[in-house]
Each structure stands twice: as C-alpha cells, then as structure tokens.
C-alpha cells in the first residue's frame, strides 16, 4: 500500500483501518547508555497503535563509526534501512540521501527550537526531525569536593588543581583507583567536541568560524590543548586517549573519578539503583580557561531522517513524526535524561522535579558552540578528523600543540580549496 499524501499519524491510521496492512520499518541507531531499551519502549505505543513493527539495527556508539557505515549504505542506495538516527553535524553531508520533511512536519516544526530546525535544514530542505539536543556538563562529586572544602571549579586551571589534590590525598588514604578527571580522548568525533570546548573556553575560537575563516592556529588554542595534554597520566589515566563517552561513564559511575566531562544522558544513569555515585554528584557548566570568562559547551544532538531509498517512506515518516513529537520526547527525556528539542518541555513540572539538569541546561544548550559543519559543508567529516588527529597527537606526546596546530592549519587550507 502506498499512501500518496500523508500529513499525520491519524491519516495513516485511517487508511490502515480499512486495509489492515502491517509493515516492518528498519531504524538504524547508535547505542550508548540505555539508548536501545529506551527506543524499544518509545516505539511500543506507536507499534500498538499502527500495527506496524520497528526493527532496530544497532550500530556502534561512536558517531564516527556510524557515519562511516551510513555513508557507505547511502552511497550504495541501500533500501534496507528506512530511518537513520543522525548526528546534528551530518545534515549538510547526507542531505541528498534523505526525504524532504518540510511539508509533513509543518505542524510539528514550530514546536521545536528554531535553531535546531535550522541546523537540519539544508538549502530549504528539512533533512531530519529533531529527537534530542545535547550540551555537556562538568560532573563533580559533591561528597569529595565538600570533604576538601571546594565548590565546583569555574576555571580549567582550578579544576586541574582540585582534581590533583583530591586524587593525591585519596590515593594516599588507600583509594587507589581514584582519578581526578575522565573525559573523551579517543581519536573520533567525541574528541572534536572535547577539543572544541577546551579551545573555545580559552577564547581560541571555533576551529573554523561561521564565515569559513580557518582560525585554529592561535595562542589561546595552543594553551588550551597544552593544558589538556598535561592531564594525561596525571589527573586522567593514560587510557583516556582511548576513551569514548561510555568508558568515561564506566569509571565515573564506579565511583572512581572526581570530575567527568559528559553529556546529560549520564545524569539519569548515574542516579540509577546500583550506581556507586547515586545521589553523590551534581553538574556544573564546563569551566573557562586562561583570561577568557565564557564557558563553552559543544552543541550536540540527534535527529531522525527518512531514507530516499526506502520503499516504505510513508510509514517511516509516521514513525519519525511520532518520535520527534511531544509525547515521545517527554518519555525519552524521563527515561534517558536527554535534552528535549520541544520548547515547552523545559517547563514540564515532572521533568523539572525528577531531572533538575534539564531546565538548568536550557541556557547551556542555547549558548552552545556549534561544530563547523555548516561552513565546511560536505567536508565536515574530513575537517573534524584533521582536528581530532592534531589534538590526539598532542595529547599522546607526538609534537607540541603549536606544531600540530600549524600543520592542521596548512592541511585545512589545502582541504578548503574551493569547497567552502
Ligand atoms: C553526543 C552528541 C553528538 C556528538 C557525539 C560525539 O552523542 O550528541 O552530537 O557528535 O556525542 O561523541
């Protein structure tokens, strides 16, 4: 059955009521934290109402690994996947492979933050519907900070000193596994996020500015990355060079870190039964650095796109609309402590009471720093990979930040050519 013009779940339902056809749609998504259980729970009411089934195709947690696989499938015009869960940075690169959702979401789009809808709009085409936004926090252990007489640090330099002091004193007292700070130092998209935060919070810009200027080779960026390099093997384990979000959360949730940089999804999980840090932590905006006084959180987030190569586009659109809608976003927020993209949910009493981070994080996300995916268009993945490589090399002692940022600037200039 092909439904030619579908504007709402109600339209699908009324056609189905007469034909009774049930379809299976496939949904590809990465899996960090409890994401898969949450998605299964979220789609259940939609499956029940429509009679359709969602088959979840589980991908690696790393955004970089997902992107690599999706790009291959889409280039091959693979029709096996109907819906893709997409990172906020991918829209310009993958736009041609996805269905334009502008018309089918015309009633839904105004409920979302305009900046997020804009981030998913490429040349007037709405490429994906927002599911959640993201902006990281500095997680800190209230009990440990109180015991040593500190509040949450407001600068990276303070954070470094407090982490070192508590780590040293706790280890001397027999708490051998404690580390000062865990974060994401693996060579992947997550390091681009961490690196951009360090650089930007030191006043070192956004790697490539919104007007396309390559700005990364500057003294503030050098100072930021040098400070991060000094953490490795000191307040952060050497293994941080291979950590992604879930590795950092593992150490943190076992009670083995004073501070962690992570996204809001770690908040709910950290307060679950069985977490060693349940009730012992809070979150603060990421610190500032050097003489700069503005904190910088990288803007993240996930969306859902419908493949142009799907044979089941109408059913896929119905699912995308449902997942991006208020009911599913509210449920996702409560189950996964993710930031909704629907404006009104920041005033929801139950969300505010059970997850105080959500209303508190509205301004953090509204001021978050975007990665340069819009100005670099189809080249963002290469740009990001050059940046995280320069940062990773510095963190692992292969060249100084000044040397690596000079090489990076030259490589970005070559890559730019005529492409942005
Ligand atoms: C989070 C963010 C996403 C980012 C990723 C990097 O999932 O939401 O935008 O690319 O982390 O690891």
């Amino acid at each position: 059955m092909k439904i030619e013009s579908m504007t709402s779940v109600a339209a699908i339902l009324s056609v189905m009521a007469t034909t009774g056809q049930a379809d299976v749609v496939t949904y590809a998504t990465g899996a960090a934290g409890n994401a898969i259980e949450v998605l299964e729970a979220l789609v259940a009411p939609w499956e029940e109402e429509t009679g359709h089934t969602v088959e979840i195709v589980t991908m690696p947690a790393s955004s970089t690994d997902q992107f690599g696989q999706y790009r291959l499938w889409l280039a091959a015009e693979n029709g096996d996947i109907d819906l893709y869960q997409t990172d906020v940075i991918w829209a310009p690169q993958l736009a041609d492979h996805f269905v334009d959702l502008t018309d089918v979401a015309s009633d839904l789009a105004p409920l979302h933050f305009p900046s997020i809808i804009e981030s998913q709009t490429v040349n007037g085409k709405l490429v994906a519907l927002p599911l959640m936004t993201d902006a990281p926090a500095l997680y800190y252990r209230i009990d440990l900070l109180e015991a040593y007489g500190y509040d949450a640090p407001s600068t990276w330099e303070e954070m470094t000193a407090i982490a070192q002091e508590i780590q040293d004193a706790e280890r001397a007292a027999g708490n051998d596994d404690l580390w000062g700070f865990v974060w994401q130092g693996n060579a992947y998209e997550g390091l681009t996020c961490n690196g951009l935060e360090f650089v930007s919070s030191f006043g070192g810009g956004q790697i490539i500015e919104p007007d396309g200027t390559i700005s990364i080779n500057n003294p503030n960026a050098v100072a930021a990355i040098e400070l991060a390099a000094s953490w490795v093997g000191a307040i952060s384990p050497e293994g941080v060079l291979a950590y992604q979000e879930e590795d950092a959360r593992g150490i943190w949730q076992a009670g083995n870190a004073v501070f962690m940089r992570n996204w809001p999804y770690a908040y709910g999980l950290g307060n679950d039964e069985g977490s060693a840090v349940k009730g012992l932590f809070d979150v603060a905006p990421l610190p500032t650095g050097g003489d700069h006084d503005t904190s910088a959180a990288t803007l993240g987030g996930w969306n859902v796109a419908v493949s142009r190569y799907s044979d089941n586009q109408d059913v896929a659109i119905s699912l995308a609309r449902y997942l991006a809608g208020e009911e599913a976003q509210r449920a996702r927020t409560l189950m996964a402590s993710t930031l909704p993209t629907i404006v009104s949910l920041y005033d929801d009493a139950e969300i505010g009471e059970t997850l105080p981070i959500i209303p508190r994080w509205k301004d953090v996300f509204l001021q978050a720093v975007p990665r340069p995916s819009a100005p670099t268009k189809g080249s963002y993945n290469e740009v990001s990979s050059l940046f995280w490589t320069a940062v990773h090399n510095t963190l692992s002692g292969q060249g100084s930040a000044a040397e690596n940022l000079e090489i990076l600037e030259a490589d970005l200039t070559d890559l730019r050519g005529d492409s942005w």
Side-chain angles (χ1 to χ4, degrees):
M1 173 186 68
K2 179 111 174 84
I3 301 168
E4 291 302 342
S5 87
M6 197 283 298
T7 51
S8 68
V9 176
I12 282 260
L13 290 177
S14 64
V15 180
M16 283 204 37
T18 53
T19 63
Q21 171 157 349
D23 289 308
V24 177
V25 283
T26 48
Y27 184 107
T29 180
N34 59 355
I36 298 299
E37 293 106 274
V38 168
L39 183 59
E40 281 166 356
L42 282 180
V43 301
W46 179 86
E47 290 179 322
E48 188 146 317
E49 250 184 275
T50 62
H52 302 308
T53 308
V54 181
E55 191 182 305
I56 299 172
V57 179
T58 307
M59 305 300 294
S62 157
S63 169
T64 303
D65 294 345
Q66 290 169 47
F67 181 78
Q69 181 60 64
Y70 294 169
R71 190 151 69 166
L72 291 176
W73 281 339
L74 290 165
E77 306 193 357
N78 182 324
D80 294 340
I81 308 288
D82 299 301
L83 300 112
Y84 289 87
Q85 188 158 308
T86 58
D87 200 328
V88 65
I89 48 184
W90 298 345
Q93 294 167 92
L94 298 181
D96 291 349
H97 300 287
F98 295 140
V99 170
D100 186 354
L101 300 171
T102 312
D103 290 342
V104 294
S106 60
D107 56 338
L108 202 53
L111 306 180
H112 297 255
F113 286 96
S115 59
I116 300 180
I117 295 291
E118 198 186 313
S119 76
Q120 298 309 302
T121 304
V122 179
N123 299 328
K125 168 176 171 180
L126 182 58
V127 171
L129 302 184
L131 299 174
M132 53 172 278
T133 184
D134 236 352
L138 182 71
Y139 286 73
Y140 65 93
R141 286 278 298 277
I142 301 170
D143 55 338
L144 289 173
L145 262 63
E146 266 177 20
Y148 291 83
Y150 292 111
D151 293 328
S154 52
T155 68
W156 287 113
E157 292 84 348
E158 265 169 48
M159 190 284 298
T160 308
I162 297 171
Q164 189 75 61
E165 181 188 331
I166 299 182
Q167 179 184 303
D168 289 349
E170 287 289 308
R171 287 199 185 179
N175 190 357
D176 289 338
D177 295 330
L178 189 75
W179 286 100
F181 182 41
V182 289
W183 43 289
Q184 295 80 40
N186 195 338
Y188 78 125
E189 186 62 31
L191 181 55
T192 291
C193 298
N194 284 246
L196 173 60
E197 284 152 11
F198 305 147
V199 166
S200 213
S201 64
F202 267 78
Q206 303 181 30
I207 311 169
I208 292 169
E209 302 308 305
D211 69 358
T213 310
I214 298 168
S215 63
I216 186 60
N217 187 15
N218 69 75
N220 290 335
V222 168
I225 297 172
E226 285 299 348
L227 180 64
S230 78
W231 297 330
V232 181
I235 58 169
S236 307
E238 295 279 351
V240 80
L241 296 174
Y243 282 8
Q244 298 186 6
E245 284 80 358
E246 286 290 88
D247 306 295
R249 187 173 71 81
I251 305 270
W252 163 259
Q253 220 168 284
N256 290 331
V258 184
F259 296 108
M260 169 175 74
R261 180 267 180 213
N262 219 328
W263 307 94
Y265 86 100
Y267 187 94
L269 293 167
N271 279 320
D272 270 355
E273 290 308 324
S275 161
V277 297
K278 181 177 183 328
L280 295 179
F281 69 92
D282 203 353
V283 286
L286 294 178
T288 62
D291 300 332
H292 197 67
D293 57 11
T294 315
S295 165
T298 297
L299 179 66
W302 292 87
N303 309 276
V304 57
V306 174
S307 169
R308 262 182 54 202
Y309 317 112
S310 159
D311 289 334
N312 235 338
Q313 289 178 11
D314 295 322
V315 179
I317 288 170
S318 140
L319 177 60
R321 281 179 48 89
Y322 167 75
L323 288 172
E326 187 164 348
E327 178 193 334
Q329 282 218 1
R330 185 171 187 279
R332 183 191 295 273
T333 299
L334 288 167
M335 284 189 272
S337 70
T338 48
L339 299 172
T341 63
I342 293 193
V343 183
S344 63
L345 289 174
Y346 286 84
D347 298 322
D348 183 286
E350 188 186 353
I351 290 177
E353 227 161 80
T354 49
L355 295 164
I357 186 178
I358 304 293
R360 279 177 67 198
W361 243 243
K362 181 179 173 187
D363 282 342
V364 176
F365 116 72
L366 284 173
Q367 287 159 29
V369 183
R371 282 161 277 174
S373 72
T376 59
K377 305 191 186 101
S379 304
Y380 174 72
N381 188 51
E382 284 72 27
V383 167
S384 181
S385 136
L386 288 170
F387 176 64
W388 82 56
T389 303
V391 177
H392 198 268
N393 283 344
T394 312
L395 298 175
S396 46
Q398 296 168 57
S400 67
E403 286 158 359
N404 287 322
L405 293 188
E406 195 173 328
I407 298 169
L408 173 62
E409 179 181 46
D411 288 346
L412 289 174
T413 307
D414 282 351
L415 177 67
R416 175 171 57 188
D418 299 324
S419 62
W420 78 75

